[in-house]
Amino acid sequence: MPQYAYLITRTDPDTDEGRRVMSSGTKTLTDDQDPREFATARLAQNRAEHSYYTGPRRIAYWPHEPGTPLPRTAPANASHLDG
């Protein structure tokens, strides 16, 4: 089963770079689960969990090797979804 890492950030221009990250982590998907559907659901969950922030946000998601550390920024091969 593939594992994906994700990074959700604020995208409004008024937020300091150090305060942009809202959430990050990994998720093991089933073989038939679409990574874009996972990203869409995770972005909606983040919006509900952080309802105090109504501004724009972006999720970056990419295949992640289990057991390796998460990077602080999304790699160049990451897919992105705004929401």
Side-chain angles (χ1 to χ4, degrees), residues 7-75:
L7 179 68
I8 300 174
T9 55
R10 300 174 184 216
T11 59
D12 57 325
D14 296 334
T15 301
D16 294 333
E17 190 66 34
R19 297 186 60 224
R20 287 191 183 271
V21 175
M22 297 183 76
S23 180
S24 65
T26 61
K27 174 75 172 173
T28 301
L29 306 181
T30 61
D31 289 330
D32 62 341
Q33 193 172 7
D34 179 14
R36 185 174 174 87
E37 289 177 10
F38 153 72
T40 300
R42 184 64 192 102
L43 196 57
Q45 181 181 357
N46 181 267
R47 186 165 291 284
E49 290 171 348
H50 299 277
S51 59
Y52 60 87
Y53 173 70
T54 58
R57 62 193 81 203
R58 170 178 287 162
I59 185 169
Y61 57 100
W62 61 94
H64 181 73
E65 188 66 35
T68 60
L70 286 175
R72 292 177 109 13
T73 59

